[in-house]
Amino acid sequence: QLAVSPDGRTLAWAGMSAQSALWAARVHSDSGRPADAVPVFLGTGVRATGASAAIDGRRVYSGTVQGNHPHIWVREPSGSARQLTVDEGDHLIPFWLPGEREVGYFARHGAEEGYSAVNLSTGLERRLFTLADLPVPAGSRLHPLRNLNVVPDRELTRVVMTLVTDGVPNLWVVPLPGG
């Protein structure tokens, strides 16, 4: 929304700021009525998306501080939050792996895209698979929004993905290599 004055000496523009937040509500309130939703905050300046809850009340998020790459954060039931991933890649769409000691997530490091996991106790990260490892039929390609259209199951035995063939998106379920 840029405008130039008739004499060409002045510029004007409109700045927009999108505001988003994760919200939480108890499934049932004590009164039997729906409980009020409350915003969930990670900390000052962190935009949180893609939450996943553990059985014990911990939540993992993809959190972004303005101007930085998105990283994976965990919020304890006490309300304290800490960042789990620290490298320069993009880390999105976290989910709990069986046993809830590790969190899986979509990772983009330069041109390489795939899924990784981080151990909550040690902070050690490991690569689960790259998108290049997935079988894609000839004439098809992965959907451009890969982080939203390639989803492994919790046991890491198969993946659901959107493939585009002749401009038409289709869902495919394929076994993961080694799964």
Side-chain angles (χ1 to χ4, degrees):
Q1 296 180 345
L2 181 64
V4 179
S5 66
D7 65 4
R9 297 178 59 191
T10 305
L11 293 175
W13 64 91
M16 297 177 65
S17 175
Q19 189 176 34
S20 66
L22 291 172
W23 290 76
R26 291 188 5 221
V27 176
H28 299 286
S29 71
D30 295 336
S31 67
R33 295 188 315 258
D36 291 334
V38 295
V40 176
F41 297 105
L42 281 176
T44 306
V46 179
R47 179 179 178 263
T49 59
S52 178
I55 291 172
D56 64 5
R58 292 175 295 165
R59 295 184 202 113
V60 289
Y61 310 88
S62 179
T64 306
V65 177
Q66 187 171 353
N68 293 312
H69 294 273
H71 287 284
I72 304 303
W73 293 66
V74 62
R75 183 171 191 252
E76 301 295 334
S78 66
S80 65
R82 66 185 168 101
Q83 185 175 328
L84 296 175
T85 59
V86 295
D87 65 36
E88 291 296 314
D90 293 330
H91 307 96
L92 306 159
I93 322 294
F95 59 98
W96 293 97
L97 291 173
E100 297 182 344
R101 291 183 300 276
E102 285 187 302
V103 173
Y105 55 89
F106 180 86
R108 183 180 300 120
H109 297 97
E112 185 178 275
E113 296 177 313
Y115 277 81
S116 294
V118 61
N119 183 296
L120 274 72
S121 298
T122 65
L124 293 176
E125 295 180 57
R126 65 183 175 103
R127 172 68 71 192
L128 299 173
F129 64 92
T130 66
L131 298 189
D133 296 334
L134 299 176
V136 176
S140 296
R141 61 181 171 76
L142 287 172
H143 190 282
L145 295 174
R146 290 166 179 78
N147 59 305
L148 299 175
N149 286 281
V150 176
V151 181
D153 69 359
R154 187 178 159 130
E155 288 76 30
L156 299 174
T157 58
R158 58 191 175 159
V159 66
V160 177
M161 58 186 174
T162 303
L163 296 179
V164 180
T165 307
D166 298 325
V168 178
N170 295 281
L171 289 178
W172 286 70
V173 179
V174 296
L176 280 172

